[in-house]
Amino acid sequence: KIPYPRSLVPDIIRTIRDPEKPNTLEELEVVTENGVEVQEIGEDEYLVVIRFTPTVPHCSLATLIGLCLRVKLQRCLPFRHKLEIYISEGTHSTEEDINKQINDKERVAAAMENPNLREIVEQCVTEPD
Protein backbone atom coordinates (compact mmCIF):
# COMPACT_ATOMS: atom_id res chain seq x y z
CA LYS A 1 0.00 0.00 0.00
CA ILE A 2 1.24 3.48 -0.86
CA PRO A 3 1.67 5.71 2.16
CA TYR A 4 0.14 9.18 1.84
CA PRO A 5 -0.99 9.31 -1.81
CA ARG A 6 -2.83 12.52 -0.88
CA SER A 7 0.34 14.40 0.05
CA LEU A 8 2.39 13.04 -2.85
CA VAL A 9 0.35 14.82 -5.51
CA PRO A 10 0.98 18.44 -4.38
CA ASP A 11 4.69 17.62 -4.02
CA ILE A 12 4.81 16.43 -7.63
CA ILE A 13 2.96 19.38 -9.18
CA ARG A 14 4.37 22.21 -7.06
CA THR A 15 7.59 22.39 -9.13
CA ILE A 16 5.93 22.64 -12.55
CA ARG A 17 6.94 25.92 -14.14
CA ASP A 18 4.58 28.35 -15.83
CA PRO A 19 4.99 28.30 -19.65
CA GLU A 20 5.39 32.10 -19.79
CA LYS A 21 6.80 33.19 -16.46
CA PRO A 22 9.90 32.10 -14.53
CA ASN A 23 7.69 31.07 -11.58
CA THR A 24 6.27 27.70 -10.61
CA LEU A 25 2.52 27.08 -10.77
CA GLU A 26 2.52 26.95 -6.97
CA GLU A 27 4.22 30.37 -6.66
CA LEU A 28 1.57 31.83 -8.98
CA GLU A 29 -1.19 30.05 -7.01
CA VAL A 30 -2.34 28.28 -10.18
CA VAL A 31 -2.15 25.03 -8.20
CA THR A 32 -2.81 24.74 -4.47
CA GLU A 33 -3.19 21.85 -2.05
CA ASN A 34 -6.91 22.66 -1.79
CA GLY A 35 -7.22 21.93 -5.51
CA VAL A 36 -6.05 18.34 -5.09
CA GLU A 37 -8.37 15.43 -4.32
CA VAL A 38 -7.27 11.83 -4.05
CA GLN A 39 -9.80 9.03 -3.54
CA GLU A 40 -9.17 5.32 -3.38
CA ILE A 41 -11.23 3.64 -6.13
CA GLY A 42 -9.85 0.12 -5.98
CA GLU A 43 -7.08 -1.90 -4.47
CA ASP A 44 -4.01 0.32 -4.81
CA GLU A 45 -5.79 2.46 -7.40
CA TYR A 46 -6.72 6.08 -6.91
CA LEU A 47 -8.74 8.79 -8.59
CA VAL A 48 -6.69 11.97 -8.64
CA VAL A 49 -8.64 15.16 -9.34
CA ILE A 50 -6.76 18.41 -9.87
CA ARG A 51 -8.44 21.80 -10.10
CA PHE A 52 -6.23 24.67 -11.17
CA THR A 53 -6.82 28.40 -11.49
CA PRO A 54 -5.29 30.26 -14.44
CA THR A 55 -3.74 33.63 -13.59
CA VAL A 56 -6.23 35.44 -15.89
CA PRO A 57 -9.74 34.45 -17.11
CA HIS A 58 -8.65 34.45 -20.77
CA CYS A 59 -5.31 32.69 -20.23
CA SER A 60 -4.29 31.30 -23.60
CA LEU A 61 -2.00 28.76 -21.96
CA ALA A 62 -4.58 27.09 -19.71
CA THR A 63 -4.71 24.01 -21.95
CA LEU A 64 -0.93 23.81 -21.93
CA ILE A 65 -0.86 24.07 -18.13
CA GLY A 66 -3.38 21.22 -17.93
CA LEU A 67 -1.18 19.19 -20.27
CA CYS A 68 1.87 19.84 -18.08
CA LEU A 69 -0.03 18.69 -14.97
CA ARG A 70 -1.14 15.51 -16.77
CA VAL A 71 2.31 14.64 -18.12
CA LYS A 72 4.10 15.26 -14.83
CA LEU A 73 1.61 13.21 -12.80
CA GLN A 74 1.52 10.34 -15.29
CA ARG A 75 5.31 10.14 -15.09
CA CYS A 76 5.72 10.58 -11.36
CA LEU A 77 2.79 8.99 -9.54
CA PRO A 78 4.01 5.70 -8.06
CA PHE A 79 0.53 4.15 -7.98
CA ARG A 80 -2.18 3.20 -10.45
CA HIS A 81 -4.49 6.12 -11.00
CA LYS A 82 -7.18 7.79 -13.03
CA LEU A 83 -6.45 11.42 -13.58
CA GLU A 84 -9.01 14.19 -14.00
CA ILE A 85 -7.83 17.75 -14.47
CA TYR A 86 -10.17 20.74 -14.46
CA ILE A 87 -10.02 24.49 -14.42
CA SER A 88 -11.53 25.82 -11.20
CA GLU A 89 -15.15 26.70 -11.88
CA GLY A 90 -15.73 30.25 -13.08
CA THR A 91 -12.04 31.13 -13.48
CA HIS A 92 -11.70 30.90 -17.27
CA SER A 93 -13.77 32.13 -20.19
CA THR A 94 -13.63 28.78 -22.06
CA GLU A 95 -13.26 26.39 -19.12
CA GLU A 96 -15.69 23.80 -20.53
CA ASP A 97 -13.77 23.42 -23.80
CA ILE A 98 -10.44 23.28 -22.03
CA ASN A 99 -11.68 20.71 -19.50
CA LYS A 100 -12.82 18.51 -22.41
CA GLN A 101 -9.49 18.88 -24.16
CA ILE A 102 -7.21 18.09 -21.23
CA ASN A 103 -9.23 15.03 -20.24
CA ASP A 104 -9.42 13.54 -23.75
CA LYS A 105 -6.73 10.86 -24.20
CA GLU A 106 -6.61 11.20 -27.98
CA ARG A 107 -6.30 14.97 -27.92
CA VAL A 108 -3.59 14.78 -25.26
CA ALA A 109 -1.67 12.18 -27.30
CA ALA A 110 -2.00 14.32 -30.45
CA ALA A 111 -0.74 17.40 -28.57
CA MET A 112 2.29 15.49 -27.29
CA GLU A 113 3.17 14.44 -30.86
CA ASN A 114 3.67 18.12 -31.75
CA PRO A 115 7.44 18.67 -31.27
CA ASN A 116 7.10 22.37 -30.32
CA LEU A 117 4.38 21.68 -27.78
CA ARG A 118 6.26 18.69 -26.38
CA GLU A 119 9.39 20.82 -25.91
CA ILE A 120 7.45 23.46 -23.95
CA VAL A 121 5.84 20.77 -21.77
CA GLU A 122 9.28 19.23 -21.10
CA GLN A 123 10.68 22.62 -20.07
CA CYS A 124 7.78 23.14 -17.67
CA VAL A 125 7.84 19.68 -16.04
CA THR A 126 11.60 19.07 -15.83
CA GLU A 127 12.93 19.49 -12.32
CA PRO A 128 15.39 22.37 -11.97
CA ASP A 129 18.92 21.22 -11.11
Side-chain angles (χ1 to χ4, degrees):
K1 208 157 175 65
I2 306 273
Y4 320 116
R6 169 77 185 78
S7 60
L8 265 175
V9 178
D11 286 344
I12 291 170
I13 62 177
R14 75 171 26 109
T15 58
I16 297 173
R17 285 192 289 284
D18 183 88
E20 278 186 324
K21 300 181 175 84
N23 311 71
T24 65
L25 296 183
E26 183 183 54
E27 289 165 346
L28 296 169
E29 296 181 4
V30 172
V31 295
T32 62
E33 284 204 35
N34 293 342
V36 175
E37 275 178 62
V38 180
Q39 303 160 3
E40 199 163 349
I41 53 174
E43 196 173 319
D44 293 329
E45 188 171 5
Y46 297 86
L47 170 63
V48 177
V49 180
I50 307 287
R51 293 184 196 288
F52 71 97
T53 305
T55 50
V56 289
H58 52 273
C59 175
S60 59
L61 296 170
T63 309
L64 185 59
I65 290 169
L67 194 57
C68 292
L69 288 164
R70 179 168 294 284
V71 167
K72 179 91 181 210
L73 286 165
Q74 283 174 335
R75 286 184 188 168
C76 299
L77 284 177
F79 49 82
R80 286 186 330 165
H81 60 277
K82 284 192 172 113
L83 195 50
E84 293 178 9
I85 298 174
Y86 303 106
I87 289 186
S88 303
E89 212 172 303
T91 62
H92 197 280
S93 50
T94 60
E95 70 186 61
E96 208 173 294
D97 294 337
I98 293 171
N99 287 343
K100 266 191 207 131
Q101 235 178 322
I102 54 183
N103 288 295
D104 180 322
K105 279 194 176 108
E106 284 164 19
R107 286 164 102 177
V108 167
M112 288 307 287
E113 282 171 20
N114 175 322
N116 298 340
L117 211 49
R118 193 171 57 233
E119 189 179 332
I120 296 169
V121 169
E122 289 301 337
Q123 286 169 358
C124 294
V125 302
T126 303
E127 295 287 331
D129 295 329

